[in-house]
Amino acid sequence: CGKVVVSTPVGSLHSIIQNGQNGFLLWRVNHEELAKKLSMSLDRAISKRVGINARDTILRKFSLSTVSNDLCNIYKQRS
């Protein structure tokens, strides 16, 4: 889909989202910062680039084969 994500760095999102590269992180939650990030996400050129990068990140890190290989490696290390 390649959608732009605007989020706070809750949980492990800060390890997935690289601010300005594949999404936008709100380090300070206030209306000025939110408006700035949302405005950037509405810019067609920025949203296209960030959306493509976001999709690539998810396919690379969370594809079925990647996740299943990682899980198998965890099981192999534990046995």
Side-chain angles (χ1 to χ4, degrees):
C1 293
K3 301 298 181 190
V4 176
V5 173
V6 178
S7 176
T8 59
V10 296
S12 61
L13 284 177
H14 67 279
S15 67
I16 299 168
I17 299 174
Q18 297 171 322
N19 194 35
Q21 298 300 311
N22 61 358
F24 296 104
L25 289 172
L26 294 168
W27 293 100
R28 294 175 296 137
V29 181
N30 61 51
H31 65 278
E32 291 94 3
E33 187 71 12
L34 177 59
K36 178 181 173 184
K37 302 292 182 172
L38 289 174
S39 178
M40 290 172 68
S41 73
L42 293 174
D43 179 283
R44 287 184 189 255
I46 292 172
S47 68
K48 183 174 182 174
R49 176 183 54 82
V50 171
I52 289 170
N53 290 341
R55 185 174 193 281
D56 290 345
T57 298
I58 296 305
L59 290 176
R60 187 177 69 255
K61 291 186 174 187
F62 301 105
S63 69
L64 179 58
S65 65
T66 299
V67 172
S68 61
N69 286 336
D70 290 348
L71 187 57
C72 285
N73 288 334
I74 289 170
Y75 282 126
K76 286 177 185 175
Q77 291 172 1
R78 306 272 182 208
S79 55

Short mmCIF file of all heavy atoms in Angstrom, two decimals, residues 13-69:
data_model
loop_
_atom_site.label_atom_id
_atom_site.label_comp_id
_atom_site.label_asym_id
_atom_site.label_seq_id
_atom_site.Cartn_x
_atom_site.Cartn_y
_atom_site.Cartn_z
N LEU A 13 7.90 0.90 17.86
CA LEU A 13 7.76 1.63 16.59
C LEU A 13 8.99 2.46 16.25
O LEU A 13 9.34 2.61 15.08
CB LEU A 13 6.52 2.53 16.63
CG LEU A 13 5.19 1.81 16.44
CD1 LEU A 13 4.04 2.79 16.57
CD2 LEU A 13 5.13 1.09 15.11
N HIS A 14 9.66 2.98 17.27
CA HIS A 14 10.86 3.78 17.00
C HIS A 14 11.98 2.95 16.38
O HIS A 14 12.88 3.50 15.76
CB HIS A 14 11.34 4.48 18.27
CG HIS A 14 11.84 3.54 19.31
ND1 HIS A 14 10.99 2.85 20.15
CD2 HIS A 14 13.10 3.17 19.63
CE1 HIS A 14 11.71 2.08 20.95
NE2 HIS A 14 12.99 2.26 20.65
N SER A 15 11.92 1.62 16.53
CA SER A 15 12.94 0.77 15.89
C SER A 15 12.55 0.41 14.46
O SER A 15 13.38 -0.12 13.72
CB SER A 15 13.17 -0.50 16.72
OG SER A 15 12.03 -1.32 16.71
N ILE A 16 11.32 0.66 14.08
CA ILE A 16 10.85 0.38 12.72
C ILE A 16 10.80 1.65 11.89
O ILE A 16 11.28 1.68 10.75
CB ILE A 16 9.44 -0.27 12.76
CG1 ILE A 16 9.48 -1.59 13.52
CG2 ILE A 16 8.91 -0.46 11.34
CD1 ILE A 16 8.12 -2.15 13.85
N ILE A 17 10.25 2.71 12.46
CA ILE A 17 10.09 3.96 11.72
C ILE A 17 11.36 4.80 11.85
O ILE A 17 11.81 5.11 12.95
CB ILE A 17 8.89 4.76 12.25
CG1 ILE A 17 7.60 3.97 12.06
CG2 ILE A 17 8.80 6.13 11.55
CD1 ILE A 17 6.38 4.62 12.68
N GLN A 18 11.93 5.14 10.71
CA GLN A 18 13.05 6.06 10.67
C GLN A 18 12.47 7.42 10.28
O GLN A 18 12.02 7.60 9.14
CB GLN A 18 14.09 5.60 9.66
CG GLN A 18 14.71 4.27 10.01
CD GLN A 18 15.57 3.73 8.89
OE1 GLN A 18 15.24 3.87 7.72
NE2 GLN A 18 16.67 3.12 9.26
N ASN A 19 12.47 8.33 11.23
CA ASN A 19 11.77 9.60 11.07
C ASN A 19 12.16 10.32 9.78
O ASN A 19 13.33 10.60 9.54
CB ASN A 19 12.05 10.50 12.28
CG ASN A 19 11.11 11.67 12.34
OD1 ASN A 19 9.96 11.56 11.99
ND2 ASN A 19 11.62 12.79 12.80
N GLY A 20 11.15 10.58 8.95
CA GLY A 20 11.37 11.28 7.69
C GLY A 20 11.77 10.37 6.54
O GLY A 20 11.78 10.80 5.40
N GLN A 21 12.11 9.12 6.84
CA GLN A 21 12.52 8.18 5.80
C GLN A 21 11.39 7.24 5.40
O GLN A 21 11.08 7.11 4.24
CB GLN A 21 13.74 7.36 6.27
CG GLN A 21 14.95 8.20 6.55
CD GLN A 21 15.42 8.95 5.32
OE1 GLN A 21 15.56 8.37 4.25
NE2 GLN A 21 15.65 10.24 5.46
N ASN A 22 10.81 6.56 6.40
CA ASN A 22 9.72 5.63 6.10
C ASN A 22 8.48 5.90 6.97
O ASN A 22 7.63 5.05 7.14
CB ASN A 22 10.18 4.18 6.25
CG ASN A 22 10.64 3.85 7.65
OD1 ASN A 22 10.65 4.70 8.53
ND2 ASN A 22 11.04 2.61 7.87
N GLY A 23 8.43 7.07 7.53
CA GLY A 23 7.32 7.49 8.37
C GLY A 23 7.74 8.71 9.17
O GLY A 23 8.84 9.24 8.98
N PHE A 24 6.85 9.15 10.04
CA PHE A 24 7.15 10.32 10.87
C PHE A 24 6.85 10.00 12.33
O PHE A 24 5.81 9.46 12.65
CB PHE A 24 6.31 11.53 10.43
CG PHE A 24 6.63 11.99 9.04
CD1 PHE A 24 5.77 11.71 8.00
CD2 PHE A 24 7.80 12.69 8.78
CE1 PHE A 24 6.06 12.12 6.71
CE2 PHE A 24 8.09 13.11 7.50
CZ PHE A 24 7.23 12.82 6.46
N LEU A 25 7.81 10.31 13.19
CA LEU A 25 7.64 10.11 14.63
C LEU A 25 7.42 11.45 15.31
O LEU A 25 8.10 12.43 15.01
CB LEU A 25 8.87 9.43 15.22
CG LEU A 25 9.06 7.97 14.85
CD1 LEU A 25 10.42 7.48 15.35
CD2 LEU A 25 7.95 7.12 15.40
N LEU A 26 6.49 11.46 16.23
CA LEU A 26 6.23 12.65 17.05
C LEU A 26 6.93 12.46 18.38
O LEU A 26 6.45 11.73 19.24
CB LEU A 26 4.72 12.82 17.29
CG LEU A 26 3.88 13.13 16.07
CD1 LEU A 26 2.41 12.97 16.39
CD2 LEU A 26 4.17 14.52 15.58
N TRP A 27 8.08 13.04 18.53
CA TRP A 27 8.83 12.91 19.78
C TRP A 27 8.23 13.80 20.86
O TRP A 27 8.26 13.46 22.03
CB TRP A 27 10.31 13.25 19.56
CG TRP A 27 10.96 12.22 18.69
CD1 TRP A 27 11.21 12.33 17.35
CD2 TRP A 27 11.38 10.91 19.06
NE1 TRP A 27 11.76 11.17 16.87
CE2 TRP A 27 11.89 10.29 17.90
CE3 TRP A 27 11.37 10.20 20.26
CZ2 TRP A 27 12.39 9.00 17.92
CZ3 TRP A 27 11.89 8.92 20.26
CH2 TRP A 27 12.38 8.33 19.11
N ARG A 28 7.73 14.95 20.44
CA ARG A 28 7.01 15.83 21.37
C ARG A 28 5.57 15.87 20.89
O ARG A 28 5.30 16.26 19.76
CB ARG A 28 7.59 17.25 21.33
CG ARG A 28 9.01 17.35 21.85
CD ARG A 28 9.57 18.75 21.68
NE ARG A 28 9.66 19.04 20.23
CZ ARG A 28 9.30 20.18 19.66
NH1 ARG A 28 8.85 21.18 20.39
NH2 ARG A 28 9.42 20.37 18.37
N VAL A 29 4.67 15.43 21.73
CA VAL A 29 3.27 15.39 21.32
C VAL A 29 2.62 16.75 21.63
O VAL A 29 2.30 17.05 22.77
CB VAL A 29 2.51 14.25 22.04
CG1 VAL A 29 1.07 14.22 21.58
CG2 VAL A 29 3.19 12.93 21.77
N ASN A 30 2.54 17.56 20.61
CA ASN A 30 1.84 18.84 20.71
C ASN A 30 1.25 19.17 19.34
O ASN A 30 1.63 18.57 18.34
CB ASN A 30 2.76 19.96 21.23
CG ASN A 30 3.94 20.21 20.32
OD1 ASN A 30 3.79 20.39 19.11
ND2 ASN A 30 5.14 20.21 20.89
N HIS A 31 0.32 20.09 19.32
CA HIS A 31 -0.40 20.34 18.07
C HIS A 31 0.49 20.92 16.97
O HIS A 31 0.27 20.66 15.80
CB HIS A 31 -1.65 21.19 18.31
CG HIS A 31 -1.38 22.57 18.78
ND1 HIS A 31 -1.14 22.87 20.10
CD2 HIS A 31 -1.31 23.73 18.10
CE1 HIS A 31 -0.94 24.16 20.20
NE2 HIS A 31 -1.05 24.71 19.02
N GLU A 32 1.53 21.69 17.32
CA GLU A 32 2.42 22.24 16.30
C GLU A 32 3.20 21.14 15.60
O GLU A 32 3.32 21.12 14.38
CB GLU A 32 3.40 23.27 16.88
CG GLU A 32 2.77 24.55 17.35
CD GLU A 32 2.44 24.52 18.84
OE1 GLU A 32 2.76 23.51 19.52
OE2 GLU A 32 1.86 25.50 19.33
N GLU A 33 3.75 20.22 16.40
CA GLU A 33 4.53 19.12 15.83
C GLU A 33 3.64 18.20 14.99
O GLU A 33 4.02 17.77 13.91
CB GLU A 33 5.21 18.34 16.95
CG GLU A 33 6.17 17.29 16.50
CD GLU A 33 7.46 17.84 15.91
OE1 GLU A 33 7.73 19.05 16.04
OE2 GLU A 33 8.20 17.05 15.30
N LEU A 34 2.44 17.90 15.49
CA LEU A 34 1.51 17.06 14.75
C LEU A 34 1.13 17.74 13.43
O LEU A 34 1.13 17.09 12.37
CB LEU A 34 0.26 16.78 15.59
CG LEU A 34 -0.83 15.97 14.91
CD1 LEU A 34 -0.32 14.61 14.46
CD2 LEU A 34 -2.03 15.83 15.83
N ALA A 35 0.83 19.02 13.46
CA ALA A 35 0.46 19.75 12.24
C ALA A 35 1.61 19.73 11.23
O ALA A 35 1.39 19.54 10.02
CB ALA A 35 0.08 21.19 12.58
N LYS A 36 2.84 19.89 11.71
CA LYS A 36 4.01 19.88 10.82
C LYS A 36 4.16 18.52 10.15
O LYS A 36 4.35 18.43 8.93
CB LYS A 36 5.26 20.20 11.64
CG LYS A 36 6.54 20.18 10.84
CD LYS A 36 7.73 20.49 11.74
CE LYS A 36 9.02 20.30 10.99
NZ LYS A 36 10.19 20.49 11.85
N LYS A 37 4.06 17.44 10.92
CA LYS A 37 4.22 16.09 10.36
C LYS A 37 3.07 15.75 9.41
O LYS A 37 3.30 15.16 8.35
CB LYS A 37 4.29 15.04 11.47
CG LYS A 37 5.40 15.24 12.46
CD LYS A 37 6.77 15.03 11.87
CE LYS A 37 7.81 15.21 12.96
NZ LYS A 37 9.13 14.86 12.59
N LEU A 38 1.85 16.11 9.77
CA LEU A 38 0.71 15.85 8.89
C LEU A 38 0.83 16.65 7.59
O LEU A 38 0.52 16.14 6.51
CB LEU A 38 -0.61 16.16 9.59
CG LEU A 38 -1.00 15.19 10.70
CD1 LEU A 38 -2.25 15.69 11.42
CD2 LEU A 38 -1.20 13.79 10.16
N SER A 39 1.28 17.89 7.70
CA SER A 39 1.48 18.72 6.51
C SER A 39 2.52 18.09 5.58
O SER A 39 2.33 18.03 4.37
CB SER A 39 1.90 20.12 6.93
OG SER A 39 2.13 20.92 5.80
N MET A 40 3.60 17.60 6.16
CA MET A 40 4.64 16.94 5.36
C MET A 40 4.08 15.69 4.68
O MET A 40 4.39 15.41 3.53
CB MET A 40 5.84 16.58 6.23
CG MET A 40 6.63 17.78 6.69
SD MET A 40 7.90 17.35 7.89
CE MET A 40 9.03 16.43 6.87
N SER A 41 3.23 14.96 5.40
CA SER A 41 2.68 13.73 4.84
C SER A 41 1.69 14.00 3.71
O SER A 41 1.41 13.12 2.90
CB SER A 41 2.02 12.88 5.93
OG SER A 41 0.81 13.44 6.34
N LEU A 42 1.15 15.21 3.64
CA LEU A 42 0.22 15.57 2.57
C LEU A 42 0.92 16.05 1.30
O LEU A 42 0.30 16.13 0.24
CB LEU A 42 -0.76 16.64 3.05
CG LEU A 42 -1.74 16.17 4.13
CD1 LEU A 42 -2.56 17.36 4.64
CD2 LEU A 42 -2.64 15.07 3.62
N ASP A 43 2.21 16.36 1.41
CA ASP A 43 2.99 16.74 0.24
C ASP A 43 3.16 15.51 -0.64
O ASP A 43 3.67 14.48 -0.20
CB ASP A 43 4.35 17.29 0.68
CG ASP A 43 5.21 17.69 -0.48
OD1 ASP A 43 5.78 16.78 -1.14
OD2 ASP A 43 5.34 18.90 -0.73
N ARG A 44 2.73 15.59 -1.89
CA ARG A 44 2.72 14.41 -2.78
C ARG A 44 4.10 13.78 -2.95
O ARG A 44 4.24 12.56 -2.90
CB ARG A 44 2.13 14.76 -4.13
CG ARG A 44 0.64 14.96 -4.09
CD ARG A 44 0.11 15.22 -5.50
NE ARG A 44 -1.27 15.60 -5.45
CZ ARG A 44 -2.26 14.80 -5.79
NH1 ARG A 44 -2.00 13.59 -6.21
NH2 ARG A 44 -3.51 15.21 -5.72
N ALA A 45 5.11 14.59 -3.19
CA ALA A 45 6.45 14.04 -3.41
C ALA A 45 6.98 13.36 -2.15
O ALA A 45 7.54 12.25 -2.21
CB ALA A 45 7.41 15.15 -3.85
N ILE A 46 6.78 14.00 -1.01
CA ILE A 46 7.25 13.43 0.26
C ILE A 46 6.48 12.16 0.57
O ILE A 46 7.06 11.13 0.93
CB ILE A 46 7.12 14.45 1.40
CG1 ILE A 46 8.10 15.60 1.19
CG2 ILE A 46 7.37 13.78 2.75
CD1 ILE A 46 7.94 16.75 2.17
N SER A 47 5.14 12.20 0.44
CA SER A 47 4.34 11.03 0.79
C SER A 47 4.64 9.84 -0.13
O SER A 47 4.65 8.70 0.32
CB SER A 47 2.85 11.35 0.80
OG SER A 47 2.38 11.61 -0.49
N LYS A 48 4.93 10.12 -1.40
CA LYS A 48 5.27 9.02 -2.31
C LYS A 48 6.58 8.37 -1.89
O LYS A 48 6.67 7.15 -1.78
CB LYS A 48 5.36 9.52 -3.74
CG LYS A 48 5.63 8.43 -4.74
CD LYS A 48 5.57 8.90 -6.16
CE LYS A 48 5.80 7.71 -7.10
NZ LYS A 48 5.62 8.07 -8.48
N ARG A 49 7.61 9.19 -1.62
CA ARG A 49 8.92 8.67 -1.23
C ARG A 49 8.83 7.92 0.10
O ARG A 49 9.30 6.79 0.22
CB ARG A 49 9.93 9.82 -1.12
CG ARG A 49 11.31 9.37 -0.61
CD ARG A 49 12.26 10.54 -0.46
NE ARG A 49 11.75 11.62 0.36
CZ ARG A 49 11.79 11.64 1.70
NH1 ARG A 49 12.27 10.61 2.36
NH2 ARG A 49 11.33 12.67 2.36
N VAL A 50 8.20 8.53 1.08
CA VAL A 50 8.09 7.92 2.41
C VAL A 50 7.23 6.65 2.34
O VAL A 50 7.56 5.64 2.96
CB VAL A 50 7.54 8.93 3.43
CG1 VAL A 50 7.23 8.27 4.76
CG2 VAL A 50 8.54 10.07 3.64
N GLY A 51 6.15 6.69 1.58
CA GLY A 51 5.28 5.53 1.44
C GLY A 51 5.99 4.35 0.80
O GLY A 51 5.85 3.20 1.25
N ILE A 52 6.77 4.61 -0.23
CA ILE A 52 7.54 3.54 -0.88
C ILE A 52 8.56 2.97 0.09
O ILE A 52 8.71 1.74 0.21
CB ILE A 52 8.22 4.06 -2.17
CG1 ILE A 52 7.17 4.30 -3.26
CG2 ILE A 52 9.30 3.09 -2.65
CD1 ILE A 52 7.69 5.05 -4.47
N ASN A 53 9.25 3.85 0.81
CA ASN A 53 10.23 3.38 1.81
C ASN A 53 9.56 2.57 2.91
O ASN A 53 10.12 1.57 3.39
CB ASN A 53 11.00 4.56 2.41
CG ASN A 53 11.93 5.20 1.41
OD1 ASN A 53 12.29 4.62 0.40
ND2 ASN A 53 12.32 6.43 1.69
N ALA A 54 8.36 3.00 3.34
CA ALA A 54 7.64 2.27 4.39
C ALA A 54 7.28 0.87 3.92
O ALA A 54 7.49 -0.11 4.65
CB ALA A 54 6.38 3.04 4.79
N ARG A 55 6.78 0.77 2.72
CA ARG A 55 6.41 -0.54 2.18
C ARG A 55 7.64 -1.43 2.06
O ARG A 55 7.60 -2.61 2.42
CB ARG A 55 5.74 -0.37 0.82
CG ARG A 55 5.22 -1.66 0.24
CD ARG A 55 4.42 -1.40 -1.05
NE ARG A 55 3.67 -2.56 -1.44
CZ ARG A 55 4.18 -3.62 -2.06
NH1 ARG A 55 5.47 -3.65 -2.35
NH2 ARG A 55 3.42 -4.64 -2.39
N ASP A 56 8.73 -0.89 1.57
CA ASP A 56 9.97 -1.66 1.44
C ASP A 56 10.45 -2.15 2.81
O ASP A 56 10.90 -3.29 2.95
CB ASP A 56 11.07 -0.83 0.77
CG ASP A 56 10.81 -0.58 -0.70
OD1 ASP A 56 9.94 -1.27 -1.28
OD2 ASP A 56 11.46 0.31 -1.27
N THR A 57 10.35 -1.29 3.82
CA THR A 57 10.77 -1.68 5.18
C THR A 57 9.94 -2.85 5.68
O THR A 57 10.49 -3.82 6.21
CB THR A 57 10.63 -0.48 6.15
OG1 THR A 57 11.48 0.57 5.71
CG2 THR A 57 10.98 -0.88 7.56
N ILE A 58 8.63 -2.76 5.52
CA ILE A 58 7.75 -3.83 6.02
C ILE A 58 7.99 -5.12 5.25
O ILE A 58 8.08 -6.20 5.86
CB ILE A 58 6.27 -3.39 5.93
CG1 ILE A 58 6.01 -2.20 6.86
CG2 ILE A 58 5.35 -4.56 6.26
CD1 ILE A 58 6.41 -2.43 8.31
N LEU A 59 8.13 -5.05 3.95
CA LEU A 59 8.38 -6.26 3.17
C LEU A 59 9.72 -6.89 3.54
O LEU A 59 9.85 -8.12 3.60
CB LEU A 59 8.33 -5.96 1.67
CG LEU A 59 6.97 -5.62 1.11
CD1 LEU A 59 7.08 -5.24 -0.37
CD2 LEU A 59 6.01 -6.78 1.28
N ARG A 60 10.72 -6.07 3.80
CA ARG A 60 12.05 -6.57 4.13
C ARG A 60 12.09 -7.17 5.54
O ARG A 60 12.62 -8.24 5.76
CB ARG A 60 13.09 -5.45 4.00
CG ARG A 60 14.52 -5.90 4.16
CD ARG A 60 15.52 -4.77 3.95
NE ARG A 60 15.46 -3.79 5.02
CZ ARG A 60 14.92 -2.59 4.94
NH1 ARG A 60 14.38 -2.18 3.82
NH2 ARG A 60 14.91 -1.77 5.96
N LYS A 61 11.50 -6.47 6.51
CA LYS A 61 11.61 -6.90 7.90
C LYS A 61 10.52 -7.86 8.35
O LYS A 61 10.73 -8.62 9.30
CB LYS A 61 11.58 -5.68 8.84
CG LYS A 61 12.81 -4.82 8.75
CD LYS A 61 12.76 -3.74 9.81
CE LYS A 61 14.06 -2.96 9.83
NZ LYS A 61 14.11 -2.02 10.95
N PHE A 62 9.37 -7.83 7.70
CA PHE A 62 8.22 -8.58 8.21
C PHE A 62 7.53 -9.46 7.18
O PHE A 62 6.38 -9.83 7.37
CB PHE A 62 7.20 -7.61 8.83
CG PHE A 62 7.79 -6.81 9.95
CD1 PHE A 62 8.13 -5.47 9.76
CD2 PHE A 62 8.04 -7.39 11.18
CE1 PHE A 62 8.69 -4.73 10.78
CE2 PHE A 62 8.61 -6.66 12.21
CZ PHE A 62 8.93 -5.33 12.02
N SER A 63 8.23 -9.83 6.12
CA SER A 63 7.63 -10.76 5.17
C SER A 63 7.47 -12.12 5.84
O SER A 63 8.11 -12.42 6.86
CB SER A 63 8.52 -10.91 3.93
OG SER A 63 9.72 -11.60 4.26
N LEU A 64 6.62 -12.95 5.29
CA LEU A 64 6.38 -14.27 5.86
C LEU A 64 7.68 -15.07 5.96
O LEU A 64 7.96 -15.68 6.99
CB LEU A 64 5.34 -15.02 5.03
CG LEU A 64 5.00 -16.43 5.50
CD1 LEU A 64 4.48 -16.41 6.94
CD2 LEU A 64 3.98 -17.06 4.57
N SER A 65 8.48 -15.03 4.91
CA SER A 65 9.73 -15.80 4.94
C SER A 65 10.72 -15.26 5.97
O SER A 65 11.37 -16.03 6.68
CB SER A 65 10.37 -15.85 3.55
OG SER A 65 10.78 -14.57 3.14
N THR A 66 10.82 -13.95 6.10
CA THR A 66 11.72 -13.35 7.08
C THR A 66 11.29 -13.70 8.50
O THR A 66 12.12 -14.15 9.31
CB THR A 66 11.78 -11.82 6.92
OG1 THR A 66 12.27 -11.51 5.62
CG2 THR A 66 12.69 -11.18 7.95
N VAL A 67 10.03 -13.52 8.80
CA VAL A 67 9.53 -13.80 10.15
C VAL A 67 9.64 -15.28 10.47
O VAL A 67 10.07 -15.66 11.56
CB VAL A 67 8.09 -13.27 10.31
CG1 VAL A 67 7.50 -13.71 11.64
CG2 VAL A 67 8.06 -11.76 10.20
N SER A 68 9.28 -16.15 9.52
CA SER A 68 9.37 -17.59 9.79
C SER A 68 10.82 -18.04 9.95
O SER A 68 11.12 -18.86 10.82
CB SER A 68 8.66 -18.40 8.70
OG SER A 68 9.24 -18.19 7.44
N ASN A 69 11.74 -17.48 9.16
CA ASN A 69 13.16 -17.80 9.33
C ASN A 69 13.67 -17.33 10.68
O ASN A 69 14.42 -18.05 11.36
CB ASN A 69 14.01 -17.18 8.21
CG ASN A 69 13.86 -17.90 6.90
OD1 ASN A 69 13.50 -19.07 6.86
ND2 ASN A 69 14.13 -17.20 5.82
#
